Amino acid sequence: MPTANFTEKEVISKLSKLYIPSEIDEMIPLIREINQLKKEKNAVLLGHNYMTPDVFYGVSDIIGDSLYLSKAAAEVDADIILFNGVHFMAETAKILSPHRKVLIADEKAGCSLAESITRDEVKKIKAQYPGVPVVTYVNCSAAVKAETDICCTSANAAQIIEAIDSDTVIFLPDEYLADNMRKLTKKKIISHPGRCMVHEMYTPLDIQITRQRLGGDVTVISHPECSKEVVDYSDFSGSTSQMIDFVKQAPSKNILLITECSMGDNLRMEFPDKYFVSTCQTCPHMKKITLEKIKNSLINETFEILIDEDIIEKARNAVNRMLEISFKK
Ligand code: 13P
Ligand code: SF4
């Protein structure tokens, strides 16, 4: 598993590439306190790729994309799982580890995609298309997952759609991810008008301007929550971890990441030989997770993720079906 757990010296060295010394002086005592609290409480901290570098490198034990962190949540052996990410991710951890205490440092860390659809809306769509299987992107609530046949993430959406025994699928709630999947499958995809408020901001012009500026010497890597025009203009599109893997083999030294800002910051520290060309959009939800709130969360054991048992049961089937297909040996 990609584990973080860097030494304090390594953390300071990484942070000094982005923050000024006085900021680092404020971060280090908090990082120490959190790492001590983790031991006392037998807690494991999962950190999504969009966490700021202090949270990502300083205190997260396991780091990755939402698929990888779901798998980790199912396998982790700890009394407390604290999810450094957004609410739907912490809910997914609870669905997969229902007997553990799952916390999130700010319960208002939501997601525009998760908020774009309710369980009742899913029921209405199902009634419109009786018998058509429903694939939901994990960026949705536990209650929505409970209405679904199978989940997917941006890392495995095409694989999951192909694995379903039907020529038509309902794919919820991201219309851009659905558009991008239509290019990869012959199946008919019925979608819903949900969008990521971060990735919908990008246009092909962002790419054109950078390509012109650098005389074409740039590798463009986008997340599939972007429009299909943006993805078509990119050299590669994939989940956040797949994007990182592509950086490792990118033909150009110059990289344009079409995704959330903190991922660029984290990668600048990881790949000092690459030049990350700026242009980024901030996810206000991801940015709600701070060191101060993480410390309070561990001290007070808040905010605990609580989900009705029947919802957990139904949602777990959908998430587990995805994990079985994605990680089958
Ligand atoms: P990944 O599954 O690629 O980590 O993305 C999650 C997400 O919220 C992207 O906006
Ligand atoms: Fe949701 Fe977009 Fe933020 Fe990811 S980046 S959590 S999809 S709003």
Side-chain angles (χ1 to χ4, degrees):
M1 281 189 191
T3 49
N5 292 329
F6 296 99
T7 64
E8 192 170 297
K9 211 171 149 201
E10 287 168 330
V11 171
I12 293 172
S13 150
K14 283 182 188 298
L15 297 184
S16 60
K17 295 191 173 72
L18 182 74
Y19 299 102
I20 59 171
S22 61
E23 287 178 292
I24 299 176
D25 288 347
E26 277 176 27
M27 287 167 180
I28 292 301
L30 273 170
I31 289 173
R32 281 191 198 135
E33 273 183 88
I34 291 167
N35 286 329
Q36 181 56 33
L37 280 163
K38 273 174 6 187
K39 285 188 202 139
E40 287 166 21
K41 301 255 177 177
N42 187 24
V44 165
L45 271 55
L46 307 184
H48 186 262
N49 290 325
Y50 291 165
M51 290 293 99
T52 49
D54 52 341
V55 173
F56 192 71
Y57 290 118
V59 299
S60 297
D61 299 298
I62 302 170
I63 50 182
D65 65 4
S66 54
L67 176 63
Y68 184 76
L69 294 178
S70 305
K71 186 168 175 275
E75 292 170 358
V76 99
D77 183 17
D79 294 327
I80 293 177
I81 298 174
L82 172 56
F83 210 115
N84 296 329
V86 290
H87 197 267
F88 77 81
M89 296 179 178
E91 275 196 338
T92 308
K94 182 71 183 174
I95 289 164
L96 290 166
S97 258
H99 306 301
R100 300 194 199 285
K101 187 175 262 190
V102 177
L103 305 176
I104 185 158
D106 188 328
E107 60 188 343
K108 293 197 183 70
C111 169
S112 66
L113 279 169
E115 280 140 33
S116 74
I117 193 158
T118 62
R119 188 182 191 182
D120 284 346
E121 283 170 309
V122 181
K123 284 183 182 168
K124 275 189 204 145
I125 296 169
K126 279 162 68 167
Q128 260 180 285
Y129 303 97
V132 177
V134 183
V135 182
T136 44
Y137 190 33
V138 280
N139 297 38
C140 64
S141 67
V144 164
K145 287 184 178 73
E147 282 302 318
T148 208
D149 293 289
I150 187 164
C151 286
C152 73
T153 74
S154 54
N156 60 19
Q159 185 190 12
I160 299 295
I161 290 168
E162 284 306 303
I164 288 177
D165 187 18
S166 167
D167 290 339
T168 306
V169 296
I170 298 168
F171 186 91
L172 308 171
D174 186 346
E175 65 173 330
Y176 281 174
L177 185 59
D179 285 346
N180 286 313
M181 292 307 115
R182 282 189 186 100
K183 293 184 281 187
L184 304 176
T185 180
K186 289 195 171 67
K187 296 193 182 195
K188 183 175 177 213
I189 297 180
I190 298 157
S191 53
H192 171 83
R195 287 187 194 174
C196 163
M197 62 192 286
V198 174
H199 292 95
E200 73 170 341
M201 300 302 286
Y202 286 106
T203 69
L205 189 63
D206 297 313
I207 301 176
Q208 272 168 13
I209 288 172
T210 307
R211 283 203 200 277
Q212 269 168 15
R213 215 180 93 207
L214 301 176
D217 183 15
V218 59
T219 299
V220 181
I221 307 176
S222 64
H223 196 278
E225 287 169 6
C226 295
S227 71
K228 71 175 183 343
E229 290 76 19
V230 167
V231 169
D232 286 346
Y233 265 75
S234 306
D235 297 300
F236 176 78
S237 178
S239 79
T240 52
S241 289
Q242 290 168 341
M243 293 171 81
I244 297 171
D245 286 342
F246 198 80
V247 170
K248 293 177 193 155
Q249 57 172 77
S252 172
K253 205 174 154 64
N254 304 323
I255 310 285
L256 174 59
L257 288 179
I258 304 286
T259 195
E260 212 275 335
C261 297
S262 291
M263 201 163 102
D265 292 336
N266 291 329
L267 294 192
R268 261 183 203 102
M269 296 173 188
E270 201 59 36
F271 298 96
D273 296 341
K274 299 278 184 197
Y275 179 67
F276 290 89
V277 188
S278 269
T279 169
C280 71
Q281 300 285 342
T282 299
C283 174
H285 302 290
M286 293 279 182
K287 297 296 95 93
K288 286 197 164 69
I289 307 300
T290 62
L291 287 177
E292 195 67 56
K293 289 185 197 167
I294 291 171
K295 179 182 131 184
N296 291 338
S297 174
L298 282 171
I299 292 173
N300 303 315
E301 301 193 8
T302 53
F303 296 90
E304 185 172 0
I305 303 290
L306 298 168
I307 308 172
D308 287 350
E309 256 174 51
D310 65 316
I311 301 265
I312 288 198
E313 212 43 51
K314 288 183 187 149
R316 193 168 51 233
N317 285 337
V319 181
N320 272 338
R321 277 189 72 195
M322 166 186 83
L323 293 178
E324 276 158 24
I325 292 172
S326 238
F327 294 101
K328 68 172 177 261
K329 297 253 159 61

